[in-house]
Amino acid sequence: MKRRLFLACLAVAAGSALNYVNARQMAFRTLNDRFPPPRLTTLDAWKTRADYLREHVLASAGLLPLPDKTPLRPSVVGEVTREGYRVSKVYFESLPGFFVTGNLYRPIGDGPFPAVLSPHGHWTYGRLENTPTASGPARAIGLARQGFVVFSYDMVGYNDSQQLPHTFGSRRELLWGLSLAGLQLWNGIRALDFLETLPYVRREALAATGESGGGTQTFLLAAVEPRVKVAVPVNMISLHMQGGCLCENPPGLRLGTTNVEIAATIAPRPLLMVSATGDWTAETMEVEYPAVRAVYELFGAPDRVEAVRMTAEHNYNKESREAMFAWMARWLQQAPPDVKIVEKSYTVEPLSDLLVFHQRALPAEAVTAAQLTDGWIASARRQLSERPSTANAAALRHALGVLPSGGAAVPALTRTVLLAHSDPAVGKALASAGFRVRPLTFAPFDDAAAAQVRHFETYNQTAAGRRVEEVVGAVNANPGAAIVADGDAALAALLAAAVVSVPVAVLDIGGFDTSSDESYLNRLYIPGLRRAGDLQTAASLARGKLVLHNAGDRFAISSPDKRAAQLTAAEIAAVLRR
């Protein structure tokens, strides 16, 4: 049963029609592709890249900007004292009415002590798994006996975390940046907040370690959270398997990047990469570790990263735990570099004594999945009305998978028009007016092939996102060209105008309903788009002239030149002649 559950989660330029389109007819990326290691240039170049990647992780998780940090309302109950440590049951609210659950282990004494977050992998018993292959209680007890506070907490849908299943998130949630993976990253951020409230914790000495899916949580959290001073992700950082579960694959995360590059953003903070001969980390010592170490060398800190490989299947076993113990002691307790720590025997409490909500109901304020989604969207709408446009712009670029453009000035309008319009009369009118008309066409999108790729949106753009990229490519290949488009091409062109300089775009919006999630799901599905302010953000960022027509009364976007009526072919040509 355990093996089946584990494997189930893992199984997982221009010619007549613009030559760049053909370049887009490429195979889709998958989580099991082999990716090259990051290419290094200078420390300054890496820092710029790392800043982008940290922002990208947050954006893909729906956390750009961070949601409001509402009160945690923590409850720490049922403490029992054992030899060398104490253990309690904990819950707190990472979002209003949504509870993070787990166990708090701490040393005997008043401290203050360093503290470690301990997310778990996809084991049958989650944080409470206790076998020779992996034991959450063993690593928590071992660390507590050595003078560390440990918070061992549940993945969503495991053990006490039953408000949402581990399959949470539809396309509507993803439009608004709400995903299982993003929620778990947010839980990790709030868990750091929780540890900082404890009087016996050293706030400047926080760390994280977890295995498998918990390893993914560890390096994503450490990438975006400078409060994580030491990280030990176990059996996860690979260039040929990026994570098989939904909770490791927020949409857009690995557009143009990999786990190795994301993990390298932890530099120069201490990082131990634990690998195994029996899983996808079997090549760590030869491939992934040298790539990460090269980043640390740029900082002049090669001693702050190490790797070990265990002769074992996928695990967080005793040998792996002992390597972690020594690394934590070295960097958080000033132990010598060659310190060795042997795990002592331990006894795990009965499961019923560790479960937070065993034979007790959730607090009355606990929300359902629908209520969580509604609350998230309401909060996102508030932030969109309050936050600066720079934050919206960044979130939009990441949702579109477009790197920053560097703020190039808008080029002067040429006599070229990129045309994607369903009415042949428009092209004839433009040609008669003396414009060189170039058809803006799009590469076919293979929906059937896309449907066969697990976690497709983590590694690839959606059909709508691909159209935006192709418009950007066409504009870059034809600087100074105007765009005339209707239908879905017009929506793509409006988004493209936010990230690339278009002198004039005349776009027939076709009465698109900007208030309806269904409209976006059916015609403009790009995860995170609504969280970034969707078409309103795009219109506000466009540096050239936008003429939006056939808008109707459901296109609630502010724009200097928005027209409810549809322009005729002659009127479109007249707009461009001005």
Side-chain angles (χ1 to χ4, degrees), residues 444-505:
F445 189 88
D446 193 335
D447 292 288
Q452 299 302 310
V453 178
R454 299 200 67 223
H455 313 302
F456 174 86
E457 293 154 9
T458 304
Y459 304 87
N460 304 276
Q461 293 163 316
T462 62
R466 183 74 64 94
R467 285 194 295 272
V468 175
E469 183 182 48
E470 290 175 347
V471 174
V472 171
V475 172
N476 286 332
N478 296 271
I483 299 178
V484 174
D486 68 352
D488 292 347
L491 299 175
L494 176 49
L495 290 172
V499 295
V500 68
S501 295
V502 182
V504 183

Side-chain angles (χ1 to χ4, degrees), residues 183-203:
L183 184 56
Q184 290 192 165
L185 180 56
W186 180 242
N187 287 348
I189 292 171
R190 297 313 316 269
L192 292 174
D193 296 340
F194 165 68
L195 288 176
E196 287 188 329
T197 69
L198 303 176
Y200 43 83
V201 165
R202 289 170 49 197
R203 298 181 63 177

